[in-house]
Amino acid sequence: MPETARKALLVVNRQARNGSRVPEAALNRLRAGGIELMEADPLEVAVSIDKAREAGCDCVIIGGGDGTLNRAAPALARTDLPLGILPLGTANDLARSLGIPAVPVEAAAIIVEGHHRPIDLGEVNGVPFFNVASIGFSADLARELTADAKKRFGTLGYALAGLRILARMRPFTVTIEHDDKRKVLRTVQVSVGNGRHYGGGLTVDLDARPDDGLLHVYSLGVQHWWQLLALVPALKQGTQGRWRDVMTFATTACTVETRRPRSINTDGELTGKTPASFHVVPGAVSVYTRPPS
C-alpha cells in the first residue's frame, strides 16, 4: 500500500452498457492501492464533485461512458480534482484517446499508479466536451440511438442506427468562420474535435491529441449516401481530409451557423442548437494515464 492514502469520490453510472456489473476486482485493486472510495449518485455527479474537495477527496473516479464523463466535465474543471476513468460505456472514446485499457481492473491499476496529466476541453455555447461536438449526421444518430440500443448492441448499435439515417440523409448549408476566414458550404456533417477518437471507433484527425491546445474541424461535403459509406475507412483512420469533398482545419475557436436551428451533439448527447460558438480550453482537466514512455 502507498505511504500516502488517497480518498476518491467514486461515481458509477449503473445505466452504462457495463455499469450494472462493475467488476469487484477493479474496486478491490483501487482499495489495495490505498484508495478509499466514497460512492456518489451519478444523477448528482456535478454537485457531488463540487462537494468532494470539501469532503477531503483527492480525486474523482468515474465508471461509465463518455456521456457520464461529459456531465462531470464542468465540475472537474472547477475543482481541479484529478480524474480516474473506469471505462464501462459503449464507445469509451476518451479512454481510447488517452490509451486507458478497456479492461476495468487494468484501468484501475493506472489510477493506483497515480500519474496524471492535463488535457484540454472543447466548449460549444458554454457546454464542455472531451471528444467531439457535431452538427448533422451524428446529431441525428444521437437522437436515433437509444440508451437501450447502446446497452443491447454496443458499437453495433451505432452501425444499425447509422444505416437508418443514411436513407434519409440530405446535405444542408453551413457558414463557418475561423481565424478571419468565412466559408459557406454544403455538408452532411460538421465535426469539431477536441480529443482523438469519437463515435465508437472514428478518428477526428490523424494528428489530433486531447492536449494539443487545438480544435480539429472537418466538414463532409458529400452528396450521396454511398459517398459517406466510402468515407468510413478514412474516418476510422483520421485521413478524411485527403478526400476532395472534405474540408478540414485546426483552430482554437470557430463559429458554425445554419439556415435553421440544428441540434448539436456533444460526446453523444444532444445539448443545444445552432448557431454554435466553439473554443478550446487548454489544460482544463487532469486525468490519470500511463506515464510517458
Side-chain angles (χ1 to χ4, degrees), residues 118-168:
I119 65 169
D120 308 331
L121 275 177
E123 193 169 284
V124 53
N125 294 352
V127 177
F129 58 94
F130 282 110
N131 302 316
V132 74
S134 299
I135 299 156
F137 182 88
S138 73
D140 295 337
L141 178 62
R143 185 181 297 107
E144 185 93 5
L145 189 59
T146 64
D148 180 65
K150 286 195 286 187
K151 198 161 188 174
R152 289 176 59 195
F153 301 113
T155 53
L156 177 62
Y158 285 87
L160 295 174
L163 289 173
R164 289 194 297 269
I165 295 167
L166 274 176
R168 57 178 188 266

Side-chain angles (χ1 to χ4, degrees), residues 98-101 106-107 110 113 115 117 287-293:
L98 295 170
I100 295 172
E106 295 178 12
I110 288 175
E113 288 170 7
H115 172 79
R117 64 183 175 93
V287 184
Y288 290 106
T289 62
R290 288 193 173 105
S293 55

